Amino acid sequence: MTRLLERRDEHADVRRNHRRVQRLRLLTVLPAVLVTLLAVFGPALAPHAAEAPVGIPFGPAGAGAWFGTDRLGRDVLSQLLYGGWGLLLLAAVIAVAVTALACVLGTIAALRPRVGRFIELATDFAMLLPAVLGILLVLTSWPDAGAVGLLVVALLFGTPYCARVFAAAAAGVVASGYVEAAQASGETLPHLVFREVIPNLREVITAQLGLRFVAAVYVVSTASFLQLPTTLGASNWAVMVRENASGMLLNPWAVLAPSLAIAVVAVSVNLAVTAFGRGERP
């Protein structure tokens, strides 16, 4: 009887710890979810039009403008609500594209060692050449590329490293008995990639998708700060930082608000990926 009570208490403790860990994990991703929702529904919630002046340039925070005004007298809060969805949407598209392509290439590399050696060389090249230099080379030589050019840059510089991660993860799956049996039975390469290996890489895919999103946010922010991808509009968060830097002392919220929005999304997603990817206590 005593042992049964002890086991019941142990199971109860395990369930309580599990619920506590799940709550802590959800708290790590909550800031990113809130900022993303504000970015998506921001235009409908903005108190003023994005380009409408509401006061003097770099005016202080007040009742009509909670975060003050920017260099043209526009409401910083309205600019913030209008300027997030394009940046985050492009970062999400880049993250999905890079993760999907890298997953396929990494799996092929694990099944075909020659491809793996090529990916290693491409990774070494991508690590030696800074991504900012690639952004400048591609987008200045292709001025009308816009977001498409930025996607190309992200694929060129993000895929090789991510593919090496997938190749290392897929190597253990390829060495398993059922994959070897499928190879011996003469299954085609697409069947091995999409039916035998990739379904067993779900945890790696989830982790890499989150990490690629964080990297994409930084890449898109950097390019927007340099005013290279014109398709994101003139009021996205990174452009707000660049244009309002001269009035930092007059109205610091014109710079701090968009900077904090970018940082909260990146840090929160990174923490969430770490917490959920390891399957351990955050």
Side-chain angles (χ1 to χ4, degrees):
M1 186 66 180
T2 303
R3 291 182 178 179
L4 291 176
L5 292 175
E6 290 178 352
R7 289 181 180 178
R8 188 179 65 180
D9 292 339
E10 290 177 359
H11 288 305
D13 291 338
V14 170
R15 287 195 296 269
R16 283 194 296 268
N17 290 333
H18 179 72
R19 288 194 295 267
R20 185 173 62 85
V21 170
Q22 292 298 325
R23 287 195 295 268
L24 290 175
R25 288 174 176 173
L26 291 175
L27 287 175
T28 60
V29 76
L30 183 60
V33 172
L34 292 178
V35 174
T36 302
L37 289 176
L38 286 176
V40 173
F41 298 104
L45 301 175
H48 305 283
E51 302 299 325
V54 297
I56 62 174
F58 297 120
W66 289 1
F67 290 156
T69 59
D70 66 357
R71 67 186 184 93
L72 297 178
R74 299 170 297 188
D75 180 26
V76 171
L77 177 60
S78 299
Q79 291 275 305
L80 192 69
L81 293 174
Y82 270 96
W85 70 270
L87 187 147
L88 296 182
L89 177 62
L90 181 56
V93 171
I94 289 174
V96 172
V98 171
T99 303
L101 181 59
C103 181
V104 174
L105 290 178
T107 304
I108 294 175
L111 292 166
R112 301 291 186 265
R114 291 183 180 179
V115 179
R117 288 192 289 270
F118 175 77
I119 290 177
E120 289 181 1
L121 292 175
T123 303
D124 294 337
F125 174 78
M127 292 176 66
L128 290 174
L129 188 63
V132 175
L133 180 59
I135 292 173
L136 292 173
L137 289 175
V138 173
L139 295 182
T140 54
S141 61
W142 187 12
D144 296 330
V148 176
L150 193 57
L151 175 61
V152 172
V153 173
L155 288 172
L156 289 176
F157 287 89
T159 302
Y161 178 81
C162 190
R164 180 179 282 191
V165 174
F166 276 108
V173 179
V174 171
S176 60
Y178 66 91
V179 175
E180 292 179 349
Q183 288 178 310
S185 64
E187 295 290 353
T188 61
L189 182 62
H191 177 88
L192 295 173
V193 171
F194 295 103
R195 298 293 299 274
E196 302 292 344
V197 180
I198 288 182
N200 294 283
L201 299 176
R202 289 187 293 270
E203 292 183 0
V204 181
I205 292 173
T206 302
Q208 286 300 310
L209 187 62
L211 294 175
R212 291 304 101 198
F213 177 79
V214 174
V217 168
Y218 287 130
V219 170
V220 175
S221 299
T222 301
S224 299
F225 185 83
L226 298 175
Q227 291 186 327
L228 293 175
T230 56
T231 55
L232 290 182
S235 62
N236 71 79
W237 294 340
V239 173
M240 289 176 64
V241 175
R242 181 180 187 274
E243 291 184 344
N244 297 318
S246 59
M248 179 73 177
L249 298 179
L250 298 175
N251 181 22
W253 283 114
V255 176
L256 292 179
S259 300
L260 289 174
I262 295 172
V264 165
V265 171
V267 173
S268 181
V269 171
N270 197 16
L271 291 175
V273 168
T274 302
F276 283 94
R278 293 182 304 179
E280 300 172 354
R281 181 178 301 180

